[in-house]
Amino acid sequence: MAHDDHSSAPRPETLISNLTGYIDTRIDLVRLELQQRANGLFISVVHGVFLAFFGLMFFLFLNLYAALALNDVFDSPSLGFAAVAGFYLLLLVLVLVGVDKKAFQGLADKALKDTIYKSDKH
């Protein structure tokens, strides 16, 4: 009987079939990961938009309430609004003149430290 050495070695067709199956699986895995990241990004954006909107509404109406309350205190129909506007003008001048951008950079670094490259640390 002749000994067949080729029976134990994988056939080229099987290797190519396995390789294409592996590549297809990797492509599907990358697509799934991209879809999960896109879903997470979408949820984060929608959540952020809602938080910003409701926060802005709260801030706006709180300022209107403060201005109207100051109108009563000053017994004037408009002086409360001027006081609130002057307060924000003072804050604007302080930020423009007195606060260095490096202070905001440190704050941004702390706030974003675990968000942008969070998935790369695993």
Side-chain angles (χ1 to χ4, degrees), residues 16-78:
I16 291 172
S17 174
N18 287 343
L19 183 61
T20 55
Y22 173 76
I23 291 171
D24 288 341
T25 303
R26 289 294 297 168
I27 290 171
D28 290 342
L29 182 62
V30 168
R31 285 181 182 162
L32 182 62
E33 288 176 357
L34 288 174
Q35 183 179 2
Q36 286 176 339
R37 286 186 182 188
N39 286 344
L41 180 65
F42 176 75
I43 290 169
S44 295
V45 167
V46 169
H47 185 251
V49 166
F50 276 112
L51 282 176
F53 175 74
F54 291 124
L56 180 66
M57 289 292 107
F58 172 77
F59 186 70
L60 176 70
F61 284 108
L62 182 67
N63 283 297
L64 285 172
Y65 174 77
L68 289 171
L70 287 173
N71 279 344
D72 285 343
V73 169
F74 295 140
D75 197 26
S76 168
S78 61

Side-chain angles (χ1 to χ4, degrees), residues 4-20:
D4 190 12
D5 289 333
H6 297 291
S7 64
S8 64
R11 296 182 182 166
E13 301 88 28
T14 306
L15 285 175
I16 291 172
S17 174
N18 287 343
L19 183 61
T20 55

